[in-house]
Amino acid sequence: MTSATDAPLPAVTRLIATDLDGTLLRDDKTLSARTVAALAAAEEAGIEVFFVTGRPARWMGVVSSHVHSHGMAICANGAVVTDLRAPGTLLSVRPLERRTALHVVRTLREAAPGASFAVELTTGITYEPSYPPFHLDPGATVAVAETLLHEDAPGSGVPVIKLLAHHTEIAPDAFLALARAAAGDRAAFTRSSPSALLEISGLGVSKATTLAACCAERGIPASEVVAFGDMPNDIEMLSWAGTSYAMGNAHPAALAAATARTATNEEDGVAVVIERILAARRAAVRPGLTPLATVAAPVPVSAPALM
């Protein structure tokens, strides 16, 4: 794997797709001034910016004040597309059928006794009494998952965008492998938390499939997309994009899926790459140089390669 300073750049970059937690955001859930400036500069150069996250749309306040002209967000691991410039507007929803969610709950209760569940709706979250409470969602409905998912439950007409499963004793990757073996033919399983917390979506729903659909609508091929991520829920996106960077703090599986590695989220790893892309673009349009569309070689830099 090559580093952020020596990886070949794509000939053309038309869209940047970046995860948030552990990637664009620092550990304190803020954006650095350098990152904000890099995102704005990318947009000014004509490059679209998509935030692609496991977060629900209502938790996008961490970036909504820094969107500039970029406001598109793919949330809940691909289940929702929203425009942050129009708060509360969901442009598309790919729901998890309640019947499927119930099947998964019953299957995991048998395969992993002690598991607890939460149900993420387009309108908010509900969860079981034994599930770790969400400090960002006070006043959520609390009941067993079978009740929350019942067709007669209050709000049953609201789409389910994600089922969450938590375990206190099984290791995170082991829990993911167990769940996929037990019910991977019925739903999509992934994880982004350091704890044993699984995120369960409709079959075929991922950051990658929704991002691919959004890019297709814009006539942008994968070869012109640069993606950033750090956890298993980013793997498909990192594999799909023509150029992808795993963060220096990334999960081993994300590192294996990416084409290159950048600095950590605490070291503004996304901004490091964006700045390099923009520097290459500026160099390519100088008089007498090769047009941008044909530039494929890496731009020499003096910074040392990352380990």
Side-chain angles (χ1 to χ4, degrees), residues 274-285:
I274 294 176
E275 290 164 0
R276 184 169 174 243
I277 290 171
L278 297 178
R281 176 172 291 210
R282 289 191 296 269
V285 298

Side-chain angles (χ1 to χ4, degrees), residues 20-262:
L20 294 184
D21 297 280
T23 299
L24 193 71
L25 300 178
R26 291 187 167 181
D27 291 343
D28 64 0
K29 307 305 180 185
T30 63
L31 286 173
S32 71
R34 180 181 182 181
T35 295
V36 171
L39 293 175
E43 285 280 3
E44 290 168 6
I47 301 172
E48 285 198 67
V49 176
F50 268 50
F51 301 118
V52 189
T53 178
R55 287 177 173 238
R58 68 183 182 282
W59 285 8
M60 295 300 289
V62 291
V63 292
S64 60
S65 61
H66 303 292
V67 295
H68 300 282
S69 60
H70 50 271
M72 298 303 297
I74 295 172
C75 300
N77 292 327
V80 169
V81 178
T82 185
D83 188 338
L84 300 179
R85 294 161 296 192
T89 301
L90 304 184
L91 303 179
S92 69
V93 177
R94 301 175 67 187
L96 172 65
E97 295 295 331
R98 286 174 180 261
R99 184 178 302 176
T100 300
L102 276 170
H103 172 83
V104 170
V105 167
R106 292 164 181 159
T107 300
L108 291 187
R109 286 205 196 282
E110 181 176 348
S116 59
F117 300 89
V119 181
E120 181 72 58
L121 308 169
T122 54
T123 55
I125 196 166
T126 60
Y127 49 87
E128 295 189 314
S130 56
Y131 189 87
F134 279 90
H135 68 281
L136 293 177
D137 290 288
T141 300
V142 179
V144 296
E146 287 83 353
T147 297
L148 297 173
L149 291 167
H150 195 278
E151 60 183 10
D152 293 328
S156 59
V158 177
V160 175
I161 57 173
K162 189 163 63 171
L163 178 69
L164 300 165
H166 182 263
H167 209 285
T168 59
E169 298 178 3
I170 304 176
D173 286 333
F175 192 26
L176 178 58
L178 182 154
R180 285 175 170 170
D185 61 333
R186 301 294 293 270
F189 292 80
T190 191
R191 56 172 288 260
S192 62
S193 170
S195 65
L197 175 61
L198 304 185
E199 300 167 56
I200 306 158
S201 304
L203 201 61
V205 176
S206 71
K207 291 185 177 185
T209 54
T210 300
L211 177 61
C214 290
C215 287
E217 291 173 356
R218 291 160 173 76
I220 301 175
S223 60
E224 296 176 353
V225 176
V226 177
F228 299 88
D230 73 305
M231 286 296 281
N233 66 330
D234 296 311
I235 290 172
E236 293 90 347
M237 178 174 73
L238 294 173
S239 298
W240 175 82
T243 303
S244 58
Y245 290 84
M247 309 305 292
N249 51 286
H251 185 282
L255 287 167
T259 60
R261 179 176 181 171
T262 186

Side-chain angles (χ1 to χ4, degrees), residues 26 32 34-35 247 262-273:
R26 291 187 167 181
S32 71
R34 180 181 182 181
T35 295
M247 309 305 292
T262 186
T264 69
N265 64 315
E266 284 288 290
E267 299 167 322
D268 298 324
V270 174
V272 168
V273 176

